[in-house]
Amino acid sequence: MIPVQGFDGATVAVLGLGRSGLAAARALRAGGADVVIWDDTPSARERAEAEGFEARNLTRDGAFDDVACLVTSPGIPHLYPAPNPVIASALQAGVAVDNDIGLFFRSFSVNFDEYDRPPRVVAVTGSNGKSTTSALIDHILTQAGRQSQLAGNIGRGVLDIDPPAEGGVVVLELSSYQTELARSLTPDVAVFTNLSPDHLDRHAGMGGYFAAKRRLFAEGGPDRCVIGVDEVEGQFLAGQLSEGRGDDRVIRIATTKLTGPGWYVFARKGFLAEWRKGRQVGSVDLRDIAGLPGAHNHQNACAAWAACRSLGLGPREIEAGLRSYGGLPHRSQRIAEANGVIFVNDSKATNVDSALKALLAFDRVRWVCGGLMKEGGLDALTPGLERVAKAYVIGREAEGFALGLSQVDAEICGLMEVAVQRAVSDAQPGEVVLLAPAAASFDQYDNFERRGEDFIACVQKALGVSD
């Protein structure tokens, strides 16, 4: 646990008692704060009360009279489309609002003077690939013998990690919800993977979404920035952060060749290359690494390579880590192969951009897709539809989703089991049955993990294999 600093003897309210909220309450108490908690769900309040926390109805008048800070969970809206009523009351009362990420950064570096090699924080954000990139950095560091902990939006709650050892590294995956609200952001290395439309209602459009990501760099002031420049937002961000083309505090990454006097890591046609000051200093062939299929994963490999080089690892150490990486569940996860057909679970492909990248990773796809559609429609999928032999559409909006796929043969299946059965029956040797929904899961599932687990179970049932 990382005890929260700066609130000894003060009253701090915690709103939302999921994984991050309850961990924040514990860490605040460990730092000497007087913690009061609230959650709309009675069972969540009861769990916290069983640990000795005082429940206070933060919706009542005067609830914030003695409160120094409100700590809120990332899923609770604080600005758009409208602030949660509790957060609105805190703002009206002049109470500071923070989250567990802000508490972590204000507390993490206490007593670092006692270290010869202080611990460091790598923070990863972006629209797609941040989970894989974060896990990949953590894996490479661990394989190289460095102490590393994975936390934030993946792994453990950020305040629930162990105090770092000499020279240890904390790798954080940070969502836009987390970076937008955190009052303190001070990573040593910050990574921006890419940007595509997502969560636009929470940020009032693309400008607000990009601004939330940009805070990690503009206000975080990292020593080194790894910036994906395949999109104009990344190019703009890299330009803002660097003093000139040769400024190696910014490492630009891309899926196309980069040239110039700066520090670049790019992957082109499956080959990763690192260039610095006009010459190549490292390379690796990514094409035969099973845990990193497709150009989108090659971009993730570039980001992880650059971050690890920033931490002092050598090219061969990083290559060994890349080759031993097994991948994350629900992200380009190869789950089975039968009769020459490969089955891949990419349930995390919850938006159009990530689904497109999943399609482009394979030559011929039986595509299981659909769910709760997001803003923007499906037109951006067009470059990948030539890879689709047939689409099998699930979800409550299956008929409307299928109408947006006029360029391919699309069968309305509704349920996952039906879609998988149809795909297995139709698939030919050399094809891939791919779950890449291009939609949120909440119409049928609690989260994308449950959707992916259902896909795996349905595949196993269709193939006649046990778990």
Side-chain angles (χ1 to χ4, degrees):
M1 180 187 297
I2 305 294
V4 174
Q5 305 299 308
F7 293 107
D8 188 13
T11 299
V12 179
V14 176
L15 175 65
L17 297 172
R19 184 189 65 159
S20 65
L22 200 51
R26 295 175 184 135
L28 282 158
R29 182 168 61 185
D34 180 13
V35 181
V36 297
I37 56 88
W38 185 252
D39 193 295
D40 290 338
T41 306
S43 60
R45 298 197 300 268
E46 290 167 5
R47 285 194 299 271
E49 287 178 307
E51 295 190 26
F53 291 106
E54 174 193 347
R56 177 187 294 185
N57 187 344
L58 298 176
T59 65
R60 65 173 173 79
D61 291 343
F64 288 100
D65 287 352
D66 63 340
V67 171
C69 181
L70 172 66
V71 177
T72 181
S73 296
I76 300 174
H78 55 266
L79 187 57
Y80 302 114
N84 176 277
V86 171
I87 295 177
S89 295
L91 295 173
Q92 290 164 6
V95 173
V97 180
D98 206 347
N99 60 17
D100 62 328
I101 301 302
L103 298 181
F104 168 81
F105 277 113
R106 73 179 286 160
S107 308
F108 177 71
S109 60
V110 174
N111 300 323
F112 272 16
D113 290 344
E114 64 190 49
Y115 293 106
D116 291 328
R117 292 181 299 118
R120 306 183 75 185
V121 177
V122 179
V124 181
T125 195
S127 294
N128 301 310
K130 54 185 181 292
S131 294
T132 296
T133 298
S134 301
L136 189 52
I137 294 169
D138 175 69
H139 175 80
I140 293 168
L141 290 167
T142 302
Q143 292 296 300
R146 298 280 292 272
Q147 191 224 40
S148 178
Q149 298 182 78
L150 184 62
N153 214 35
I154 187 175
R156 299 167 69 179
V158 67
L159 291 168
D160 198 35
I161 66 172
D162 301 321
E166 178 90 15
V169 180
V170 176
V171 183
L172 301 181
E173 179 198 338
L174 299 181
S175 72
S176 57
Y177 296 178
Q178 293 168 313
T179 57
E180 182 177 50
L181 187 61
R183 293 173 65 86
S184 179
L185 289 167
T186 55
D188 297 286
V189 180
V191 180
F192 176 87
T193 57
N194 50 57
L195 197 78
S196 62
D198 209 357
H199 310 305
L200 300 188
D201 58 333
R202 272 290 295 264
H203 301 293
M206 278 294 286
Y209 181 46
F210 178 49
K213 302 287 189 185
R214 181 180 175 275
R215 285 194 76 237
L216 181 64
F217 303 85
E219 298 184 32
D223 296 328
R224 179 147 286 130
C225 302
V226 177
I227 309 293
V229 295
D230 283 326
E231 295 89 25
V232 66
E233 291 89 353
Q235 297 165 18
F236 175 78
L237 182 59
Q240 281 199 315
L241 297 170
S242 64
E243 293 297 329
R245 296 180 69 203
D247 186 352
D248 65 3
R249 293 174 300 174
V250 175
I251 308 176
R252 291 168 171 84
I253 64 167
T255 54
T256 56
K257 185 175 182 179
L258 301 173
T259 59
W263 195 349
Y264 308 112
V265 181
F266 57 87
R268 185 168 177 265
K269 296 183 178 179
F271 290 89
L272 181 151
E274 177 188 359
W275 284 71
R276 193 170 186 182
K277 298 180 179 178
R279 66 185 186 90
Q280 184 171 309
V281 295
S283 65
V284 62
D285 185 351
L286 301 172
R287 294 175 300 173
D288 61 347
I289 299 180
L292 296 167
H296 62 303
N297 275 312
H298 297 169
Q299 183 189 55
N300 299 334
C302 289
W305 180 289
C308 289
R309 290 288 277 149
S310 297
L311 296 170
L313 270 63
R316 300 286 73 82
E317 290 180 294
I318 301 173
E319 179 178 354
L322 293 175
R323 293 197 177 282
S324 61
Y325 179 68
L328 282 175
H330 315 298
R331 299 161 177 87
S332 300
Q333 178 189 13
R334 184 166 170 166
I335 60 170
E337 182 173 358
N339 303 318
V341 178
I342 296 171
F343 296 82
V344 176
N345 167 28
D346 203 339
S347 183
K348 186 60 171 67
T350 58
N351 59 43
V352 168
D353 185 68
S354 55
L356 172 61
K357 290 174 179 176
L359 290 173
L360 292 174
F362 306 103
D363 292 330
R364 187 167 173 82
V365 176
R366 299 283 171 178
W367 180 31
V368 180
C369 57
L372 194 62
M373 292 179 64
K374 297 185 177 181
E375 294 182 28
L378 303 177
D379 290 347
L381 287 165
T382 299
L385 296 182
E386 62 184 15
R387 310 284 183 100
V388 176
K390 186 175 180 179
Y392 306 82
V393 187
I394 64 172
R396 296 178 187 172
E397 300 177 350
E399 187 171 345
F401 197 98
L403 287 174
L405 301 175
S406 59
Q407 300 175 54
V408 300
D409 181 11
E411 180 177 349
I412 299 170
C413 298
L415 299 177
M416 180 71 75
E417 184 174 10
V418 175
V420 170
Q421 288 174 345
R422 298 282 198 274
V424 170
S425 177
D426 294 343
Q428 301 297 312
E431 295 182 340
V432 173
V433 175
L434 169 69
L435 171 66
S441 60
F442 305 122
D443 58 333
Q444 292 180 308
Y445 302 94
D446 290 340
N447 49 50
F448 73 84
E449 291 95 341
R450 292 285 182 269
R451 178 171 58 190
E453 290 162 3
D454 191 24
F455 175 71
I456 293 171
C458 291
V459 168
Q460 291 172 340
K461 180 178 179 180
L463 297 179
V465 299
S466 58
D467 189 354

